[in-house]
């Protein structure tokens, strides 16, 4: 059987915000009779869009080289096995794999993780996927989280941030978060039980944000989990406690304009000296080999409803570039995904 396979190729480097003009829809043909021993054919059901895609479109090396033009956009996917020449999978199984923005993919069975869905399979890309790994290991391990800590989380209503907020609350910490709309502030307060949620757009100077955070954190800040950078991060440095732990998970406020020509912010490193604080970059892929460990802890919490999750799911393969762009407009609550069928 021959299948037409739609694919999104990255074709033009963005100068500012990523959008549809940076991608091109192409078509390929997969001949299912050519499947080799140990290979499976999967059909993408949910495809992920993530801020790191924009990071890799910077002109500079990051944790890897810049994405080359005329390449398929890579991404995590939840797919259904359509055909299998592996004894590990049968048609109808759902898997998590890194097959990118395409409708179908042929992969070696070793590249796929089988899902045993007790909860919706989309969670393999959200609360039980890549964002969860960096939230879980970043906060609990690198952050050396203690129940007495006051934790500040920027981007608190997003895929990573909403997990960090809840893990810190489960530990017993005081948790303060920032987000960009009243709807997200309400979600953090009413559904996730955060202590204080601040709309960073209403505190749009260093002075205003420092004042708001100082009121929300009367005993100072012990752990800062940063998804955003910019003004919020600058303000946090005014308030860090002795031996504070600052975790740099992301800097989304800088991706569209600041990766190639960084903004100059306040020079805060003297505060690190006074407080003997530590600052640490954290990357989800560094914990790939510990996925089972994370799932053993997180899956029961999700199943029992102790950990809540939201997914913003856009419909249709053609909407992948728009969904990616939407991350930079704040149009998602929780994990942004695209449903293909
Ligand atoms: N280190 C890692 O391994 C790793 C893994 C996953 C994600 N990350 C990072 O973690 C951060 C969050 O990623 P995510 O996947 O969880 O995305 P997300 O938070 O679910 O979605 C992105 C959110 O960022 C906020 N945002 C966009 N532009 C902004 C700006 N200029 N200033 C402030 N906020 C802005 C928006 O929320 P508002 O409405 O609140 O503005 C938007 O909804 C990103 O920086 C990402 O690069 C890192």
């Amino acid at each position: 059987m021959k299948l037409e396979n739609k694919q999104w190729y990255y074709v033009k480097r963005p100068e500012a915000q990523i959008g549809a003009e940076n991608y091109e829809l192409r078509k390929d043909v997969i001949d299912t009779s050519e499947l080799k021993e140990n290979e499976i054919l999967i059909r993408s059901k949910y495809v992920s869009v993530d801020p790191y895609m924009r990071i890799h479109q910077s002109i500079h090396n990051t944790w890897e080289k810049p994405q080359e033009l005329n390449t398929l956009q890579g991404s995590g996917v939840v797919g259904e096995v359509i055909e299998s020449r592996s004894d590990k999978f049968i048609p109808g199984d759902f898997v998590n794999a890194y097959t990118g923005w395409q409708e179908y993919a042929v992969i070696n069975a070793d590249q796929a993780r089988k899902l045993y869905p007790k909860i919706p399979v989309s969670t393999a890309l959200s609360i039980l996927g890549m964002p969860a790994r960096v939230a879980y290991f970043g906060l609990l391990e690198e952050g050396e989280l203690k129940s007495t800590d006051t934790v500040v989380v920027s981007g608190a209503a997003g895929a990573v941030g909403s997990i960090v907020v809840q893990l810190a609350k489960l530990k017993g910490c005081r948790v303060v978060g920032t987000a960009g709309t009243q709807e997200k502030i309400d979600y953090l307060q009413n559904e996730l039980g955060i202590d204080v949620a601040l709309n960073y757009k209403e505190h749009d100077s260093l002075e205003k944000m420092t004042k708001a955070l100082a009121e929300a954190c009367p005993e100072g800040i012990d752990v800062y989990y940063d998804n955003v950078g910019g003004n919020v991060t600058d303000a946090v440095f005014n308030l860090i406690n002795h031996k504070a732990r600052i975790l740099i998970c992301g800097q989304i406020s800088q991706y569209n304009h600041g990766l190639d020509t960084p903004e100059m912010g306040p020079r805060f490193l003297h505060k690190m000296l006074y407080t003997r604080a530590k600052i640490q970059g954290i990357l989800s892929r560094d914990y790939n080999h510990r996925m089972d460990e994370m799932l053993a802890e997180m899956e029961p919490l999700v199943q029992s409803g102790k950990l809540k999750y939201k997914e913003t799911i856009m419909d249709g393969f053609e909407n992948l570039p728009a969904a990616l762009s939407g991350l930079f407009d704040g149009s998602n609550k929780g994990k942004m995904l695209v449903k293909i069928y």
Side-chain angles (χ1 to χ4, degrees):
M1 188 177 39
K2 293 203 171 163
L3 289 172
E4 184 186 88
N5 184 27
K6 285 196 222 142
Q7 304 172 311
W8 277 109
Y9 268 68
Y10 166 62
V11 292
K12 183 169 169 249
R13 203 168 289 290
E15 276 166 24
Q17 177 145 337
I18 186 81
E21 65 281 9
N22 304 103
Y23 288 95
E24 189 176 284
L25 192 61
R26 296 187 184 173
K27 286 176 189 162
D28 182 27
V29 173
I30 291 179
D31 186 345
T32 59
S33 66
E34 289 176 1
L35 221 62
K36 297 190 191 74
E37 195 59 34
N38 210 33
E39 283 185 338
I40 55 174
L41 167 69
I42 64 169
R43 182 179 183 197
S44 307
K45 186 167 179 68
Y46 295 99
V47 177
S48 191
V49 296
D50 294 278
Y52 71 80
M53 295 168 179
R54 178 66 184 83
I55 297 182
H56 290 158
Q57 293 158 355
S58 153
I59 55 175
H60 297 297
N61 287 347
T62 56
W63 55 88
E64 54 190 48
K65 293 204 167 88
Q67 183 178 356
E68 286 181 20
L69 296 179
N70 291 306
T71 52
L72 178 74
Q73 177 59 59
S75 77
V77 160
V78 165
E80 183 178 352
V81 176
I82 305 295
E83 285 198 32
S84 172
R85 292 205 54 200
S86 152
D87 52 14
K88 289 195 206 148
F89 297 99
I90 56 168
D93 282 346
F94 278 94
V95 298
N96 177 207
Y98 196 84
T99 51
W101 286 9
Q102 55 181 341
E103 282 185 303
Y104 295 93
V106 174
I107 52 172
N108 191 290
D110 301 335
Q111 293 169 275
R113 182 170 67 88
K114 192 167 183 166
L115 301 175
Y116 299 93
K118 297 176 196 127
I119 43 179
V121 285
S122 58
T123 55
L125 298 170
S126 60
I127 184 95
L128 296 175
M130 181 278 280
R133 271 200 313 273
V134 76
Y136 180 86
F137 291 109
L139 179 72
L140 301 178
E141 213 163 274
E142 308 299 352
E144 299 162 33
L145 192 68
K146 298 191 280 290
S147 60
T148 49
D149 286 336
T150 294
V151 180
V152 172
V153 188
S154 60
V160 175
S162 59
I163 302 172
V164 174
V165 166
Q166 294 181 82
L167 289 175
K169 281 310 298 173
L170 284 174
K171 183 87 179 178
C173 302
R174 177 172 179 78
V175 184
V176 173
T178 62
T181 65
Q182 187 57 43
E183 199 190 352
K184 291 182 184 182
I185 299 293
D186 293 343
Y187 166 59
L188 287 163
Q189 287 174 335
N190 303 337
E191 293 183 50
L192 302 191
I194 201 166
D195 293 288
V196 181
L198 300 169
N199 186 332
Y200 66 87
K201 291 177 184 163
E202 289 170 7
H203 305 284
D204 53 359
S205 68
L206 181 58
E207 293 68 33
K208 284 189 202 163
M209 184 50 82
T210 304
K211 185 167 178 288
L213 280 174
E215 282 167 13
C217 307
E219 294 181 20
I221 298 168
D222 301 297
V223 174
Y224 176 46
Y225 195 105
D226 189 12
N227 291 307
V228 168
N231 209 32
V232 181
T233 303
D234 296 339
V236 163
F237 275 93
N238 284 325
L239 301 165
I240 52 176
N241 287 336
H242 182 72
K243 295 275 183 192
R245 288 131 276 152
I246 295 161
L247 304 160
I248 306 297
C249 174
Q251 297 279 288
I252 196 166
S253 71
Q254 306 301 301
Y255 297 170
N256 280 326
H257 303 279
L259 292 176
D260 302 330
T261 47
E263 268 177 19
M264 192 54 74
R267 301 185 183 190
F268 51 65
L269 291 180
H270 59 114
K271 311 259 181 186
M272 304 287 295
L273 171 64
Y274 312 149
T275 55
R276 279 77 109 201
K278 84 162 186 180
I279 187 163
Q280 161 106 45
I282 47 175
L283 202 54
S284 187
R285 63 167 59 186
D286 293 345
Y287 309 101
N288 281 356
H289 61 292
R290 295 176 67 187
M291 191 70 183
D292 290 346
E293 196 184 322
M294 180 202 82
L295 289 176
E297 290 289 322
M298 299 268 291
E299 229 165 10
L301 293 172
V302 177
Q303 274 178 266
S304 67
K306 284 191 182 142
L307 272 182
K308 297 182 182 150
Y309 67 96
K310 266 210 187 338
E311 292 165 347
T312 299
I313 300 183
M314 285 177 78
D315 255 316
F317 186 78
E318 64 283 5
N319 282 321
L320 277 160
L324 176 59
S325 180
L327 292 173
F328 298 91
D329 300 332
S331 50
N332 61 307
K333 272 210 307 278
K335 180 74 184 95
M336 181 78 104
L337 296 173
V338 174
K339 186 171 178 224
I340 309 301
Y341 71 95

